[in-house]
Amino acid sequence: MALKAGDKSQAARNGLKEKVLTLDTMNPCVRRVEYAVRGPIVLRALELEQELRQGVKKPFTEVIRANIGDAQAMGQRPITFLRQVLALCVYPDLLSSPDFPEDAKRRAQRILQACGGHSLGAYSISSGIQLIREDVAHYIERRDGGIPADPNNIFLSTGASSAIVTVLKLLVAGEGRTRTGVLIPIPQYPLYSATLAELNAVQVDYYLDEEHAWALDVAELRRALHQARDHCRPRVLCIINPGNPTGQVQTRECIEAVIRFAFEEGLFLMADEVYQDNVYAEGSHFHSFKKVLTEMGSPYAEQQELASFHSVSKGYMGECGFRGGYVEVVNMDAEVQRQMLKLMSVRLCPPVPGQALVDMVVSPPAPSDPSFAQFQAERQEVLAELAAKAKLTEQVFNQAPGIRCNPVQGAMYSFPRVQLPPRAVLRAQELGLAPDMFFCMCLLEETGICVVPGSGFGQREGTYHFRMTILPPMEKLRVLLEKLSHFHAKFTLEYS
């Protein structure tokens, strides 16, 4: 236990040595870091699970952790081809087994040939295995209709998160009014606010338009930018598309407007596109920032700086635990790009099994391969079920008085707005809690449903939300949605 200042002399008399590292002496930037997705709500959920295992009686039989986009923890089955190739790579003796299709064996052998010592247990170069970066470049070219991608501009990473942090580290500089300002959407994914706090950068909030399905409005970007210039130097604009936690999918027109804005205002663009496979709403389509930027032509295509991110944790794959991802940089200064490689070299390399999974995702079975039919069927089943869950979530919540949910156009979350009675808000204040945190804690204690309060993602003053993943199995999701709606009605009555 850390010693307080007043206890120092007593500690000295007792012969106790004062600790070097205390809350008072630790890095203050780290103290400011918050990460709502795994915050107090989740810690309490873990305690409740432990209590249930010990036989403590609760009003529920299980804790449903709908707080995080962890597909396989929610019961989604891994894609067979991905796991077959990975198994062969991890244990090459299986290459002689008749239980694996020939295309999976060929893929495993190809990946192993590119590894040091032909083993997944060897370090790779810091930017990732060259062969896999070349496959990522071919994937980007196919995705973007033939627009070239250079493997030398692609860096494999430990999920998309580590690449996002690395790029932000390059961008953050200055002190006082020259400190780097980073525009992030509100609501946002807490990785951004946490990283900016750790790096001592200035968080510049721009609000998504809840009344128009969480659309991004360039006028709001301009407002946020001009206000921020009074106290910092805004240099970065972060976009999450499809959105987390809000599930919106940006139109091409919107992306073009954002690119023009970034170019005119001298901002580096960061495009978090990890949910690019997760688009469900009719009329919605994923457009990559790289594709739109290139098709806009001069001067944007040759000059606008961009980093775009992807991951194997989301999409139809849901391979969160393997921590595979990549970043492609466009129009980055060559000297800075070398500094980026240096920064990545400090941590040696991303997990090599994660790199192998990236390769399978960007280069899936071809129509002529034995694994193609099963792969396509499994992929389509996952995405079709997610689309059905997105629709169900919107329908059930919008039937509940006091809850309003925008269409879940993409990603894997809903971010409903809830009305909370004034007495509940007052009670939360007495307890020192944000009102939506109080609501979510009560929900967890009474129903076992674990969701994250909107205050952890940011929201307009006076509005209350929660983020909930749509990943639970369909029947469990239906029950969850109904229980949550009933709880809100009961909570509202209790505090009215």
Side-chain angles (χ1 to χ4, degrees):
M1 184 176 172
L3 296 171
K4 296 178 182 176
D7 296 332
K8 287 179 184 176
S9 57
Q10 183 64 42
R13 283 197 296 273
N14 293 341
L16 295 175
K17 182 177 178 293
E18 186 185 353
K19 289 191 182 298
V20 174
L21 183 62
T22 68
L23 280 176
D24 291 331
T25 62
M26 72 177 285
N27 183 341
C29 295
V30 174
R31 268 209 320 274
R32 290 199 295 272
V33 170
E34 293 183 6
Y35 189 64
V37 174
R38 296 198 175 193
I41 286 274
V42 182
L43 295 176
R44 180 57 186 146
L46 291 169
E47 291 173 356
L48 288 171
E49 285 177 334
Q50 182 68 21
E51 290 172 18
L52 284 170
R53 283 194 292 271
Q54 293 168 349
V56 178
K57 294 295 180 191
K58 299 286 178 188
F60 47 87
T61 57
E62 67 171 329
V63 172
I64 302 175
R65 284 202 246 170
N67 61 294
I68 195 165
D70 191 347
Q72 293 183 26
M74 291 279 101
Q76 181 177 307
R77 293 182 62 185
I79 301 294
T80 302
F81 178 76
L82 305 187
R83 288 303 181 87
Q84 284 177 332
V85 176
L86 196 62
L88 292 162
C89 287
V90 171
Y91 192 56
D93 287 5
L94 293 173
L95 287 163
S96 59
S97 167
D99 296 331
F100 292 82
E102 288 305 311
D103 58 329
K105 291 180 181 180
R106 287 194 301 272
R107 173 60 62 81
Q109 288 169 325
R110 182 172 178 268
I111 291 170
L112 289 171
Q113 286 297 315
C115 294
H118 307 319
S119 170
L120 230 57
Y123 289 129
S124 75
I125 62 172
S126 298
S127 54
I129 295 168
Q130 178 68 22
L131 174 82
I132 297 175
R133 286 160 54 228
E134 289 170 1
D135 286 347
V136 171
H138 294 145
Y139 160 78
I140 292 170
E141 287 177 19
R142 290 193 308 273
R143 182 197 68 186
D144 292 345
I147 293 168
D150 184 347
N152 294 317
N153 293 336
I154 292 163
F155 299 79
L156 304 186
S157 57
T158 307
S161 301
S162 71
I164 289 167
V165 172
T166 297
V167 173
L168 283 171
K169 282 180 179 177
L170 293 169
L171 284 156
V172 171
E175 294 179 358
R177 291 186 63 174
T178 67
R179 268 201 307 165
T180 295
V182 180
L183 282 84
I184 65 171
I186 298 296
Q188 51 104 27
Y189 176 50
L191 167 70
Y192 292 93
S193 55
T195 303
L196 297 180
E198 184 182 349
L199 297 177
N200 202 28
V202 178
Q203 176 178 318
V204 179
D205 298 342
Y206 67 88
Y207 289 91
L208 302 176
D209 186 353
E210 185 172 12
E211 302 307 314
H212 294 89
W214 299 111
L216 192 162
D217 180 8
V218 171
E220 169 60 11
L221 286 179
R222 194 165 283 115
R223 176 208 63 78
L225 180 79
H226 290 166
Q227 280 189 5
R229 281 184 171 148
D230 291 337
H231 59 274
C232 69
R233 185 183 170 200
R235 302 175 70 202
V236 192
L237 171 56
C238 296
I239 307 289
I240 308 174
N241 179 50
N244 174 10
T246 44
Q248 85 285 3
V249 179
Q250 289 179 6
T251 64
R252 185 187 170 101
E253 292 73 25
C254 176
I255 293 171
E256 288 181 1
V258 167
I259 290 169
R260 279 192 291 271
F261 172 80
F263 181 82
E264 290 161 8
E265 300 291 352
L267 300 173
F268 188 104
L269 264 175
M270 294 178 63
D272 182 338
E273 299 176 328
V274 303
Y275 296 99
Q276 59 191 257
D277 289 306
N278 301 102
V279 177
Y280 319 119
E282 194 174 332
S284 292
H285 303 281
F286 171 75
H287 303 278
S288 80
F289 267 76
K290 160 85 175 294
K291 182 175 192 286
V292 176
L293 173 67
T294 308
E295 291 178 346
M296 286 173 71
S298 187
Y300 311 103
E302 299 89 7
Q303 296 183 47
Q304 176 59 49
E305 295 153 277
L306 168 71
S308 61
F309 307 88
H310 196 15
S311 168
V312 302
S313 298
K314 309 303 176 185
Y316 59 90
M317 307 80 71
E319 294 286 7
C320 302
F322 284 102
R323 311 307 300 128
Y326 72 79
V327 55
E328 181 188 23
V329 295
V330 178
N331 295 323
M332 179 179 270
D333 180 90
E335 290 299 323
V336 172
Q337 203 159 317
R338 279 190 276 276
Q339 293 293 317
M340 181 170 168
L341 179 58
K342 178 186 76 176
L343 201 52
M344 290 181 156
S345 300
V346 174
R347 284 165 179 77
L348 294 173
C349 70
V352 178
Q355 294 186 47
L357 269 166
V358 169
D359 191 71
M360 293 169 242
V361 168
V362 299
S363 185
S368 58
D369 289 334
S371 300
F372 178 77
Q374 183 180 11
F375 174 84
Q376 283 293 96
E378 290 177 352
R379 179 184 184 277
Q380 287 166 7
E381 182 184 353
V382 169
L383 293 175
E385 187 165 348
L386 283 169
K389 291 173 183 177
K391 201 163 191 175
L392 176 71
T393 301
E394 179 193 347
Q395 287 172 345
V396 173
F397 278 148
N398 284 332
Q399 289 169 0
I403 303 179
R404 198 186 77 186
C405 183
N406 270 318
V408 182
Q409 297 172 329
M412 46 185 65
Y413 314 98
S414 62
F415 197 68
R417 182 169 171 174
V418 287
Q419 291 177 2
L420 299 180
R423 280 187 59 230
V425 174
L426 194 62
R427 179 60 182 146
Q429 289 167 347
E430 289 169 359
L431 295 170
L433 297 173
D436 48 12
M437 172 67 88
F438 176 56
F439 171 79
C440 291
M441 275 293 190
C442 293
L443 172 72
L444 176 63
E445 296 288 348
E446 189 162 320
T447 67
I449 296 170
C450 179
V451 297
V452 190
S455 49
F457 300 88
Q459 55 197 351
R460 284 197 180 275
E461 188 74 27
T463 68
Y464 308 111
H465 301 80
F466 61 86
R467 187 190 82 160
M468 189 197 85
T469 180
I470 63 170
L471 287 170
M474 182 64 87
E475 285 314 305
K476 186 174 279 192
L477 178 66
R478 192 184 301 275
V479 171
L480 184 158
L481 293 168
E482 289 170 356
K483 282 177 74 173
L484 207 157
S485 299
H486 291 151
F487 173 81
H488 178 264
K490 180 173 174 289
F491 182 87
T492 300
L493 191 63
E494 183 180 344
Y495 284 97
S496 290

